[in-house]
Amino acid sequence: MSRRGFQSLELETAIGSVLLPNPVMTASGTVGHSTELARYLDYSEVGAVVVKSLAPYEWPGNPAPRVHPVPAGMINSVGLQGPGLPRWLAEELPAQAASGARVVVSIWGRTLDDYAAASELLASADGPAMEAVVAVEVNVSCPNLEDRGRMFSHSATMTQAALAATESCGLPRWAKLSATGDLVEIAAAAVEGGAEALTLINTLLGMVVDTESRKPVLGGGGGGVSGRAIGPVAVRSVYDVYAAMPDVPIIGVGGIASGSGAVEMMMAGASAVQVGTATFADPQAPTKVLRELARWCTSHDVSRLNELIGAAHE
């Protein structure tokens, strides 16, 4: 087995029109809104930093407690707490840009008007810090107040509408979707709405009940399950969507905590990956996954990432 140096390994990956130096990113919601983890994580080393989802307004989130461990992962009901896009653009983005990060802005809303407003705020933003923003991840795994609280991402029609509402942002858009039985149909709708790429998957809906108090453990009731527990679901989701739409770039997320986990996701069809829950246990997890991925490729005589993407379909 050849032992080529990392210098001969090409880690660049293209996510639609976005070219990244490597395929490992942070996942939205796990590294905050700015440079909270800068003591541990070199933001310029990873492919991109995806910020915690932002609405066009400040949002307080759900009542405590907000997180709870589950076997092989965690469940959270943070409720998308955030300062809102206006404050983030003025107060947080400059620090991220100064860190050398390639920034992906995650946006969310409770109505189609919210998505449109977020898009317009990004379109009107200026200044040198905006040069760090490479894409917008449209988080449609949110309750739609205009559809009885049903998640946008559980409806092909509303997913397409939410993506279409963000067209004015003028940046490449990635649709972040939940795992559903209609995932391929919903993924196709996101692309029809203007998504250049798909981020698969968001957390899975779950709940933990305290058997002593006989009440849900989390203040918000149910929450989103993440971590290694959802890894196989994420891999299957990526595999199925890639099989149906092999020309649409996919970012795989869910349960990745090692280089081999990233390789598995890429073989299923992902062009890049995001590391999320693992970062709570180890803030350096994204860079460790990147280094382990590089070592795996070197030890398996893989010189270009294209040799991995979709390999499980061959």
Side-chain angles (χ1 to χ4, degrees), residues 9-13 20-23 290 293-294 297 303-305:
L9 174 61
E10 295 181 20
L11 287 175
E12 284 189 348
T13 191
L20 299 177
N22 67 70
L290 175 59
L293 169 63
C297 289
S303 60
R304 299 174 68 249
L305 290 182

Side-chain angles (χ1 to χ4, degrees), residues 176-224:
K176 187 167 187 179
L177 305 178
S178 303
T180 71
D182 301 322
L183 180 57
V184 171
E185 177 188 354
I186 290 168
V191 173
E192 290 172 11
E196 277 195 15
L198 305 166
T199 303
L200 308 175
I201 58 175
N202 212 320
T203 57
L204 302 180
L205 293 176
M207 179 179 282
V208 176
V209 173
D210 184 331
T211 54
E212 296 300 320
S213 68
R214 304 186 182 189
K215 295 180 180 179
V217 168
L218 298 177

Side-chain angles (χ1 to χ4, degrees), residues 47 68 102 194 222 240 294 303 311 313:
H68 187 78
R102 289 159 290 278
D240 287 351
S303 60
H313 297 261

Side-chain angles (χ1 to χ4, degrees), residues 282-298:
D282 180 0
Q284 296 179 332
T287 53
K288 288 184 177 179
V289 169
L290 175 59
R291 293 184 187 117
E292 289 177 9
L293 169 63
R295 282 196 292 268
W296 189 98
C297 289
T298 300

